[in-house]
Amino acid sequence: MSMIESLTLMLALIYSTSLLYWSGQKWGAIASAATLVAATVSTLYWPLFLCLVLAAAAIGVLGRLWPQWVNGEQRINTQREVIQHLLALSMLLVGIQFAANAVMLKMGITPWLMRPDVGDAFLPIAGGIEIKAIVTLGLWDQNHPAAAVMLTLVLLTGLLCKRAFCGWACPLGLAGEYLYKFRKRFIKSELLPPKWLDWPLRMLKYLLLAGLLYIIITMPTASLPQYLNGNYHKIADLKMALFFITPGLVTLIGFGIILGLAAWRRQGFCRYICPYGALLGLLSFLSPFKIRRNTKHCLIESRGMSCDKCTRACPAAINVHTQANIRSDECQACMRCISACPKKEALQFSTRNGIQLSGRGLMIMLLMILFMLPLIAYSCGYWVSQTPTEIRMYLIQHLNAIGH
């Protein structure tokens, strides 16, 4: 793992450990701490270990000074925003490290800065093809193994905690929030499409998802080994980077549409275009956890009051106050509705049999999925790319000549 990947992993484990410890979950804290030590030893980067010890001590002090913050009594919105910004910052640092590594390869210099394998998360088609190779042939790709790992963990978040990845972790969703707020400073009105148009627009992301799945499913199984060992796949990450760095006219138009949607409507990109959101939306129907409204405590039924604070707080415009269970594929488990509800017991993120997950609990589950699976994959040798530096250096010199 690169230093940035290791640092992000360690800080996530430290934060989860502190949350578990100060909330009284001692065994969970011990397990997380043991994982943290094992991960630190596996990096064999002792200066980083010293930094992590200091960071752990600092978090311990913060836990003593502000126990309400660590114990989850802070508002859910603050927890979510902290996680979103930290993960976005981590991905920004990963992008800078990836670019520096690529520039050194392009210049014919042996990189002293390691390529961050987590960048393979931006290769969803490659990840899907790799998963198909694993399932059908038992073949694990050695060029971009992290692509399959990252795709798997994203799918796992959808199965366990709905679209929490979209609401708590996705940097594109965070960027969309800032674009929307920027637009609202100049144009106050919402300019929402009518309901008869909103539904077919929402289907666009499913059409894009169908196209991506078609590419993966229709690829002949017999040709998978040849593709995974081909030059195009070996350099797919740099091809993707080049696509964003040197966009053509069609690409620029596509970017303009995406940015326009994000600014026009809150979560516009997530709602209409994002195929990842479509995939997680489908998987979210299988998730045991959903936003559930307890009519015994809700002010509408219990006191006959007219209250729709939960609906007004929902960025996906779901009518929360009229439903018992929120099954919508647009629900990102952001818990803004729970945070806005004046009755604490009225809205819960829970299973059908009453197992409840608080904002802190959801955050811990999400962090564990996002960072434990890559750690396990790394420990088992299924994370770091085995493509030799010399081959990557040669391929980047001939990048434009390499096709499918």
Side-chain angles (χ1 to χ4, degrees):
M1 282 189 178
S2 67
M3 188 178 72
I4 291 177
E5 290 174 299
S6 299
L7 181 60
T8 305
L9 171 64
M10 303 304 180
L11 290 178
L13 289 172
I14 289 172
Y15 185 55
S16 300
T17 300
S18 66
L19 286 173
L20 289 167
Y21 179 80
W22 296 116
S23 61
Q25 306 297 326
K26 300 298 193 324
W27 284 110
I30 292 172
S32 297
T35 305
L36 171 64
V37 173
T40 304
V41 172
S42 69
T43 64
L44 299 178
Y45 193 82
W46 297 109
L48 177 60
F49 175 73
L50 179 60
C51 294
L52 293 172
V53 171
L54 295 175
I59 290 178
V61 172
L62 288 174
R64 288 298 186 183
L65 292 178
W66 295 300
Q68 289 185 347
W69 191 86
V70 178
N71 285 334
E73 295 177 16
Q74 75 173 122
R75 296 191 65 80
I76 297 172
N77 293 338
T78 306
Q79 291 180 333
R80 185 186 58 257
E81 289 174 2
V82 167
I83 293 300
Q84 282 181 305
H85 284 84
L86 288 178
L87 289 177
L89 176 60
S90 173
M91 291 309 298
L92 176 62
L93 295 176
V94 165
I96 294 173
Q97 183 173 340
F98 179 88
N101 176 274
V103 168
M104 285 185 274
L105 287 173
K106 183 68 174 178
M107 296 173 62
I109 303 172
T110 301
W112 53 267
L113 199 58
M114 186 178 177
R115 171 187 174 274
D117 291 281
V118 72
D120 290 343
F122 294 94
L123 302 174
I125 297 179
I129 292 173
E130 291 171 19
I131 292 176
K132 180 177 180 178
I134 294 170
V135 173
T136 58
L137 300 175
L139 175 64
W140 195 291
D141 175 52
Q142 296 298 311
N143 295 300
H144 298 288
V149 176
M150 293 302 296
L151 180 58
T152 300
L153 70 86
V154 171
L155 298 180
L156 189 59
T157 62
L159 286 172
L160 294 181
C161 41
K162 288 186 72 65
R163 286 180 60 182
F165 178 85
C166 302
W168 290 72
C170 180
L172 295 179
L174 179 62
E177 284 286 321
Y178 277 108
L179 283 172
Y180 173 76
K181 291 178 181 177
F182 180 76
R183 193 271 296 174
K184 289 282 286 184
R185 294 180 62 180
F186 302 96
I187 305 175
K188 301 295 183 182
S189 57
E190 288 293 341
L191 305 174
L192 298 179
K195 290 186 177 180
W196 62 266
L197 181 59
D198 179 67
W199 189 85
L201 287 177
R202 285 171 55 190
M203 294 302 103
L204 289 176
K205 64 179 179 289
Y206 289 101
L207 290 176
L208 292 174
L209 173 63
L212 297 178
L213 291 178
Y214 177 81
I215 294 174
I216 296 170
I217 295 173
T218 58
M219 177 174 283
T221 302
S223 66
L224 291 177
Q226 181 181 358
Y227 172 80
L228 294 177
N229 290 319
N231 287 337
Y232 182 86
H233 179 68
K234 290 178 181 178
I235 210 73
D237 53 337
L238 290 170
K239 279 282 190 180
M240 179 64 71
L242 187 66
F243 173 79
F244 288 104
I245 295 173
T246 59
L249 179 60
V250 176
T251 304
L252 288 174
I253 293 174
F255 287 163
I257 293 174
I258 291 173
L259 294 175
L261 280 174
W264 167 49
R265 174 173 186 151
R266 193 173 189 182
Q267 295 186 354
F269 169 71
C270 311
R271 189 177 185 87
Y272 299 129
I273 298 295
C274 182
Y276 252 140
L279 182 57
L280 292 177
L282 293 175
L283 290 174
S284 70
F285 289 114
L286 303 177
S287 174
F289 288 98
K290 290 176 176 59
I291 300 292
R292 303 180 189 274
R293 188 171 64 92
N294 190 328
T295 56
K296 294 181 180 179
H297 297 282
C298 182
L299 295 177
I300 298 175
E301 285 87 1
S302 64
R303 298 190 181 181
M305 298 175 63
S306 178
C307 178
D308 64 346
K309 287 186 176 181
C310 52
T311 295
R312 285 187 279 120
C314 179
I318 300 172
N319 290 323
V320 181
H321 73 290
T322 63
Q323 303 180 48
N325 301 314
I326 307 304
R327 304 183 185 278
S328 173
D329 58 334
E330 300 298 337
C331 177
Q332 297 186 3
C334 66
M335 296 197 177
R336 287 184 175 93
C337 56
I338 295 178
S339 180
C341 183
K343 289 287 288 184
K344 185 178 180 181
E345 302 86 357
L347 285 176
Q348 297 178 347
F349 189 62
S350 61
T351 63
R352 182 180 299 179
N353 57 4
I355 300 176
Q356 184 179 351
L357 202 60
S358 65
R360 182 187 64 235
L362 175 60
M363 181 171 59
I364 292 174
M365 177 184 290
L366 192 62
L367 288 174
M368 287 298 181
I369 295 174
L370 290 177
F371 294 99
M372 288 295 291
L373 192 59
L375 176 60
I376 294 172
Y378 172 72
S379 302
C380 296
Y382 297 114
W383 179 260
V384 179
S385 173
Q386 301 302 312
T387 306
T389 301
E390 296 77 13
I391 293 180
R392 284 182 62 83
M393 187 179 296
Y394 171 80
L395 293 177
I396 198 174
Q397 306 295 334
H398 304 83
L399 194 61
N400 293 327
I402 300 174
H404 289 79

